[in-house]
Amino acid sequence: MSLLFSALVALLLQLNPSVVWKAAVHHTEGDRYQLVVTGQIGKDYYVHPMSDPHVGTELEVTATDRVSPDGKPVEEYTPSEYKGAEVVTGTYVLRQELQLSGSGKLKVEGNVVWSACSGDYCQMPEEYSFSVPVEMPGQAGHDGGAGASLPAPTGNLWSLILEAILWGFLMLLTPCVFPMVPMTVSFFIKQEKGGRFKALMYGVFIVLLYTVPICLIIGLTWLLGGETVTADIFNWLSTHWLPNILFFVIFMLFAASFFGAFEITLPSSWTTQADAKSDKGGLLGVFFLALTLVLVSFSCTGPIVGTVLIKSTQGEFWTPMVTMLAFSIAFSLPFALLAFFPSVLKKLPKSGGWLNSVKVVLGFVEVALGLKFLSTADQTYHWHLLDREVYLAIWIVCFALLGLYLLGKIRFKHDSPLEYIGVGRLALVIADFAFVLYLLPGMWGAPLKALSGYLPPLETQDFVLGSSPASPVILSEAKNLPGSEVSLPHGLTGYSKLEDGLAVAKEQGKKVFVDISGHGCVNCREMEARVWSDPRVLQKLQQDYVIVSLYVDDKTKLPESEWITTDKGKVLKDVGRVNSHLVLERFGVNSQPNYFLLDGDGNILRGPRGYNLDTDAFVDFLTL
């Protein structure tokens, strides 16, 4: 399986294919050093130089009591041109003079922020964090410099990959997948020659059957319409009411099936034909065995695959493919490893009542996960069917019932009698009821920061302990009208139209904080709950800025006088489409969250800044 892991690592190393950075620190004289950050820009990409006031590359060095940046960073590159603007291609070198003090070891830390473009399309801002160790004089082996540090990957992407891997391993225990164990046993025990190679290919075929179709779909949309069209399709999938309601209904149907109401299976002819062809020898038989596994397991893996993909489609091109690769490798790994040693498979427990328990538990999970799709449609269209307290009430009841089921107090149609509770089951009961207790304060307005990305925003809650009926956390219809003043999280207020915010900022002598957001944006809610809630951030937003929140997925219809016609003749008629057009044309981004700081005339002072839960760094971003 080393080949599978190598494939994953190789693709992960290209998650940010636009620029590959490395950092080093060199000694010049005395206590003077120079940080050199070298970027190799990928083929067909370009970035903007530091001098660009809108989307220029930024180099920041963290100042400490021993590390002091001296002057501004300088850049070295061979100028290129795109549509009359100077851009950077090929090798890009950033230099920062430093003054280091003391003796012994220290680290020079900082980050590079850039936005890579290909043609007219620019990606969301990316960040490379470096930490270069330096040995100051007085330590043995001092050479006055240090090598390059590895880039720090985006936390959001890694969390998606980790979640996909966990789901992939969990799927092995589902009732749709576990019965494939004896079929795998019977097939690989018969293999006399090349058994281990076939076992390896078995895992590879499973990965390909899950990953290749997704890559083809994304690739075709990109080839036919470009990356912007691909992002638009993903945005439609993740925010439009039709796919979200469809996914919600599918999840509820699967939950009912897991509870024993009926059985969901693919047409028997599909699996029968695939199974029959798996009896053929050679790699063709291995392929059809893998195809049989994928088809048979569909009723359990289908909704999970959908969840993984939808969560990763926020205008990203590579992320859905990478998360599906991670899921499929984790899913295939146990089968491929056991196929190497088929005798071990005989020792696994036979299917029985315990598998039905797993099925029921998944049913409760399906109900909880499915609500997120309904909530997304509810938020983007302002239906107010699933406000925060309703959402929480359903979750509390759902997980309370799950705890009672694990205790044996509730039995479903196909359950075996529960004579006693094992240690593992008891641990699940404790974890489940602890989660229920964690949810309960949310009914009275507790922020529940750990779940901020999954719950409807606090502003949708009708009652918050300690707030008056006129509190800004109450959501009213009037405030959602285009151009009107809006209530934001934590009692903040702002505007939903950029021109209104600029006019107020100019009148009050303040700067403008542009919040590019979305009702269905998980990361936006997490930023608001974990970063905006910091007292230092709140103080700056309240005192120094006029906030403009541009929701790119808001389906509120605009009056005809405010419609916008694009250069291609497309008429934009709702708030979300107009805002999406605005942020792409004016700010060069098409994903959320993204933040910009403007002066009263609309000039960009700083930004973009994307999803990053580093509160101190966000405070620095707001400090001008």
Side-chain angles (χ1 to χ4, degrees):
M1 292 306 294
S2 60
L3 179 61
L4 291 177
F5 281 115
S6 298
L8 177 61
V9 171
L11 190 51
L12 292 180
L13 290 176
Q14 297 186 31
L15 292 177
N16 294 323
S18 57
V19 187
V20 177
W21 298 94
K22 62 179 181 179
V25 175
H26 304 291
H27 181 238
T28 54
E29 60 177 354
D31 59 356
R32 313 292 297 183
Y33 289 75
Q34 186 180 77
L35 167 69
V36 181
V37 184
T38 305
Q40 193 61 46
I41 302 173
K43 183 181 179 182
D44 300 326
Y45 282 100
Y46 64 86
V47 300
H48 297 273
M50 289 183 175
S51 56
D52 190 307
H54 302 299
V55 288
T57 303
E58 297 180 18
L59 170 63
E60 295 183 358
V61 177
T62 303
T64 68
D65 56 346
R66 298 185 61 191
V67 179
S68 300
D70 186 7
K72 295 182 178 180
V74 296
E75 53 190 340
E76 297 175 6
Y77 60 92
T78 301
S80 298
E81 186 175 294
Y82 182 77
K83 291 188 175 181
E86 185 174 300
V87 298
V88 184
T89 59
T91 302
Y92 190 19
V93 180
L94 308 177
R95 301 181 185 273
Q96 173 66 63
E97 298 297 326
L98 304 171
Q99 183 175 0
L100 306 184
S101 61
S103 61
K105 297 181 179 179
L106 58 80
K107 290 183 178 179
V108 175
E109 298 179 325
N111 60 76
V112 179
V113 179
W114 78 99
S115 182
C117 302
S118 180
D120 292 332
Y121 173 75
C122 292
Q123 297 178 351
M124 68 176 290
E126 300 175 72
E127 182 173 341
Y128 162 67
S129 298
F130 55 84
S131 178
V132 185
V134 178
E135 283 192 0
M136 298 291 288
Q139 291 288 318
H142 168 63
D143 59 6
S149 63
L150 293 176
T154 305
N156 178 48
L157 179 59
W158 282 107
S159 65
L160 286 170
I161 291 173
L162 178 59
E163 183 176 348
I165 291 172
L166 292 176
W167 277 118
F169 285 133
L170 180 62
M171 287 299 100
L172 179 67
L173 300 177
T174 59
C176 319
V177 178
F178 199 81
M180 284 298 297
V181 170
M183 184 182 293
T184 303
V185 171
S186 61
F187 182 89
F188 282 98
I189 278 184
K190 299 175 187 176
Q191 305 302 312
E192 297 179 357
K193 295 182 179 180
R196 295 197 171 184
F197 174 71
K198 291 178 180 178
L200 172 64
M201 294 308 300
Y202 183 44
V204 171
F205 286 143
I206 294 172
V207 171
L208 293 178
L209 285 168
Y210 272 107
T211 308
V212 169
I214 299 301
C215 295
L216 288 176
I217 292 172
I218 296 174
L220 284 174
T221 59
W222 183 83
L223 288 174
L224 294 175
E227 294 185 15
T228 303
V229 172
T230 305
D232 289 342
I233 292 173
F234 284 155
N235 181 267
W236 183 85
L237 280 173
S238 59
T239 63
H240 195 273
W241 71 267
L242 181 60
N244 276 283
I245 294 298
L246 178 62
F247 285 129
F248 169 72
V249 171
I250 290 174
F251 268 65
M252 295 306 107
L253 288 174
F254 273 101
S257 173
F258 289 164
F259 290 145
F262 46 82
E263 193 70 26
I264 296 178
T265 58
L266 289 175
S268 58
S269 58
W270 294 15
T271 54
T272 300
Q273 292 179 16
D275 184 29
K277 292 181 180 180
S278 69
D279 291 334
K280 297 182 179 180
L283 289 180
L284 185 61
V286 175
F287 172 79
F288 279 105
L289 180 65
L291 179 60
T292 302
L293 170 62
V294 172
L295 292 175
V296 168
S297 64
F298 170 78
S299 60
C300 285
T301 61
I304 302 304
V305 168
T307 300
V308 170
L309 287 177
I310 291 298
K311 287 184 66 176
S312 63
T313 53
Q314 295 290 335
E316 292 288 341
F317 180 80
W318 291 103
T319 307
M321 293 185 277
V322 173
T323 50
M324 181 51 61
L325 179 65
F327 171 86
S328 58
I329 288 179
F331 177 72
S332 67
L333 184 60
F335 277 98
L337 287 176
L338 292 171
F340 266 85
F341 310 101
S343 59
V344 178
L345 292 170
K346 295 182 176 181
K347 301 177 183 179
L348 290 176
K350 302 297 185 290
S351 59
W354 71 276
L355 268 181
N356 192 70
S357 296
V358 173
K359 198 172 183 179
V360 172
V361 170
L362 281 176
F364 284 109
V365 174
E366 294 281 292
V367 172
L369 291 177
L371 284 180
K372 179 59 182 172
F373 295 106
L374 179 59
S375 175
T376 297
D378 184 61
Q379 294 297 313
T380 55
Y381 288 89
H382 308 296
W383 295 335
H384 302 300
L385 300 175
L386 201 62
D387 288 344
R388 191 173 186 265
E389 68 273 19
V390 178
Y391 193 104
L392 277 171
I394 298 175
W395 267 36
I396 290 169
V397 171
C398 182
F399 285 103
L401 289 174
L402 173 58
L404 293 175
Y405 173 78
L406 292 171
L407 284 172
K409 302 300 181 182
I410 301 175
R411 285 179 59 188
F412 285 83
K413 183 177 179 180
H414 302 294
D415 281 328
S416 302
L418 184 64
E419 298 179 1
Y420 63 91
I421 297 177
V423 174
R425 198 174 185 119
L426 177 62
L428 289 176
V429 170
I430 294 172
D432 178 77
F433 279 116
F435 183 62
V436 171
L437 290 176
Y438 174 77
L439 292 175
L440 280 173
M443 295 294 292
W444 292 273
L448 304 181
K449 291 185 179 181
L451 299 172
S452 55
Y454 298 90
L455 301 177
L458 187 60
E459 305 88 76
T460 67
Q461 189 148 337
D462 291 332
F463 173 72
V464 175
L465 192 64
S467 65
S468 66
S471 170
V473 299
I474 306 303
L475 183 69
S476 66
E477 291 290 345
K479 79 177 186 61
N480 286 303
L481 294 175
S484 66
E485 189 174 348
V486 297
S487 297
L488 300 170
H490 316 298
L492 296 168
T493 57
Y495 296 87
S496 62
K497 293 185 72 173
L498 182 58
E499 55 266 33
D500 288 355
L502 288 172
V504 173
K506 198 165 188 178
E507 179 183 346
Q508 297 180 357
K510 293 184 177 181
K511 296 177 285 292
V512 176
F513 175 80
V514 179
D515 165 35
I516 300 172
S517 185
H519 293 293
C521 172
V522 172
N523 292 338
C524 302
R525 304 292 84 76
E526 195 169 8
M527 284 291 294
E528 291 164 2
R530 298 192 179 192
V531 178
W532 288 30
S533 60
D534 186 276
R536 296 170 297 167
V537 174
L538 282 175
Q539 183 181 21
K540 286 186 174 295
L541 291 177
Q542 289 170 337
Q543 297 180 1
D544 301 339
Y545 292 94
V546 171
I547 303 174
V548 175
S549 287
L550 302 175
Y551 281 82
V552 298
D553 57 3
D554 194 311
K555 306 304 180 184
T556 304
K557 297 300 181 182
L558 288 165
E560 187 172 352
S561 60
E562 298 185 22
W563 292 358
I564 290 180
T565 302
T566 67
D567 295 338
K568 296 182 179 180
K570 188 175 182 180
V571 181
L572 309 178
K573 301 179 180 180
D574 61 49
V575 173
R577 289 176 179 269
V578 169
N579 284 341
S580 295
H581 178 74
L582 169 65
V583 299
L584 184 60
E585 291 293 314
R586 183 156 184 165
F587 301 108
V589 298
N590 69 343
S591 59
Q592 63 276 343
N594 263 303
Y595 307 105
F596 287 84
L597 306 183
L598 314 181
D599 62 20
D601 295 320
N603 300 310
I604 296 178
L605 303 175
R606 186 169 288 180
R609 182 173 182 83
Y611 172 81
N612 189 322
L613 297 179
D614 187 338
T615 304
D616 292 335
F618 199 80
V619 173
D620 291 339
F621 172 72
L622 295 174
T623 304
L624 290 175

Coordinates of all heavy atoms in Angstrom, one line a residue, residues 6 16 25 58 88 112 133 202 208 227 232 281 307-308 344-345 380 397 424 445 465 557 623:
S6 N 2.0 7.0 -1.3 CA 2.8 7.9 -2.1 C 2.0 8.8 -3.0 O 2.3 10.0 -3.2 CB 3.8 7.1 -2.9 OG 4.7 6.3 -2.1
N16 N -1.1 23.5 -3.2 CA -0.9 24.9 -3.6 C 0.1 24.9 -4.8 O 1.2 25.3 -4.6 CB -0.3 25.7 -2.4 CG -1.3 25.8 -1.2 OD1 -2.5 25.9 -1.5 ND2 -0.8 25.7 0.0
V25 N 17.7 32.0 6.2 CA 18.3 33.2 6.8 C 19.8 33.2 6.7 O 20.4 32.1 7.0 CB 17.9 33.3 8.3 CG1 18.6 34.5 9.0 CG2 16.4 33.5 8.5
E58 N 2.5 39.9 0.0 CA 2.9 40.5 1.3 C 3.9 39.6 2.0 O 3.7 38.3 2.0 CB 1.7 40.7 2.2 CG 0.7 41.7 1.7 CD -0.5 41.9 2.6 OE1 -0.4 41.5 3.8 OE2 -1.6 42.4 2.2
V88 N 4.3 39.0 -11.9 CA 5.5 38.2 -11.6 C 5.3 36.8 -12.1 O 4.3 36.1 -11.7 CB 5.8 38.2 -10.1 CG1 7.1 37.5 -9.9 CG2 5.9 39.6 -9.6
V112 N 4.1 34.6 4.1 CA 4.0 35.2 2.8 C 2.5 35.0 2.4 O 2.0 33.9 2.5 CB 4.9 34.6 1.7 CG1 4.6 35.3 0.4 CG2 6.3 34.8 2.2
P133 N 15.1 28.1 11.9 CA 16.0 28.2 13.1 C 17.3 28.8 12.8 O 17.9 28.6 11.7 CB 16.2 26.7 13.4 CG 15.9 26.0 12.1 CD 14.9 26.8 11.3
Y202 N -6.2 -4.2 -6.1 CA -7.5 -4.2 -5.5 C -7.8 -2.9 -4.8 O -8.8 -2.2 -5.0 CB -7.7 -5.4 -4.5 CG -9.1 -5.5 -3.9 CD1 -10.2 -5.4 -4.7 CD2 -9.2 -5.8 -2.6 CE1 -11.5 -5.5 -4.1 CE2 -10.5 -6.0 -2.0 CZ -11.6 -5.9 -2.7 OH -12.8 -6.0 -2.2
L208 N -9.5 4.4 -7.4 CA -9.8 5.0 -8.7 C -11.3 5.1 -9.0 O -11.8 6.1 -9.6 CB -9.1 4.2 -9.8 CG -7.6 4.2 -9.9 CD1 -7.1 3.3 -11.0 CD2 -7.1 5.6 -10.1
E227 N -12.3 27.9 -14.8 CA -12.4 27.7 -13.4 C -13.5 28.5 -12.7 O -14.1 28.1 -11.7 CB -11.0 28.1 -12.7 CG -9.9 27.2 -13.2 CD -8.6 27.5 -12.5 OE1 -8.6 28.3 -11.5 OE2 -7.5 27.1 -12.9
D232 N -18.7 28.5 -10.0 CA -20.1 28.8 -10.0 C -21.0 27.6 -9.8 O -22.0 27.6 -9.1 CB -20.5 29.5 -11.3 CG -19.9 30.9 -11.4 OD1 -19.6 31.5 -10.3 OD2 -19.9 31.5 -12.5
G281 N -10.2 -14.5 -14.1 CA -8.9 -14.4 -13.5 C -8.2 -13.1 -13.9 O -8.7 -12.3 -14.7
T307 N -21.6 14.3 1.6 CA -21.3 15.3 2.6 C -19.8 15.8 2.5 O -19.5 17.0 2.6 CB -21.4 14.7 4.0 OG1 -22.8 14.2 4.2 CG2 -21.1 15.7 5.1
V308 N -18.9 14.9 2.3 CA -17.5 15.2 2.1 C -17.3 16.2 0.9 O -16.6 17.2 1.0 CB -16.6 14.0 1.9 CG1 -15.2 14.3 1.5 CG2 -16.6 13.1 3.2
V344 N -6.2 -13.8 7.6 CA -6.6 -13.0 8.8 C -8.1 -12.6 8.7 O -8.8 -12.5 9.7 CB -5.7 -11.7 8.8 CG1 -6.2 -10.7 9.9 CG2 -4.3 -12.0 8.9
L345 N -8.6 -12.6 7.4 CA -10.0 -12.2 7.3 C -10.9 -13.2 7.9 O -12.0 -12.8 8.4 CB -10.3 -12.1 5.8 CG -9.7 -11.0 5.0 CD1 -9.9 -11.2 3.5 CD2 -10.2 -9.6 5.4
T380 N -30.0 31.0 3.2 CA -29.8 31.8 1.9 C -31.1 32.4 1.4 O -31.1 33.4 0.7 CB -29.1 30.9 0.9 OG1 -29.9 29.7 0.7 CG2 -27.7 30.5 1.3
V397 N -32.6 16.4 20.9 CA -33.5 15.2 21.0 C -32.9 14.1 20.2 O -32.9 12.9 20.7 CB -34.9 15.6 20.3 CG1 -35.8 14.3 20.2 CG2 -35.6 16.6 21.2
G424 N -16.8 -0.4 25.7 CA -16.8 0.4 24.5 C -18.1 1.1 24.3 O -18.2 2.4 24.0
G445 N -28.7 30.8 24.2 CA -27.8 31.7 23.6 C -26.3 31.5 23.8 O -25.5 32.3 23.5
L465 N -30.4 34.7 26.5 CA -30.4 35.0 27.9 C -29.6 36.3 28.2 O -28.5 36.5 27.7 CB -29.8 33.9 28.8 CG -30.0 34.0 30.3 CD1 -31.5 33.9 30.6 CD2 -29.2 32.9 31.0
K557 N -34.3 38.8 -4.0 CA -34.4 39.4 -5.3 C -34.3 41.0 -5.2 O -34.8 41.6 -4.3 CB -35.8 39.1 -5.9 CG -36.0 37.6 -6.2 CD -34.9 37.1 -7.2 CE -35.1 35.6 -7.4 NZ -34.1 35.0 -8.3
T623 N -5.0 46.5 12.7 CA -4.3 47.7 13.2 C -3.6 48.4 12.1 O -2.6 47.9 11.5 CB -3.3 47.2 14.3 OG1 -4.0 46.5 15.3 CG2 -2.6 48.4 14.9

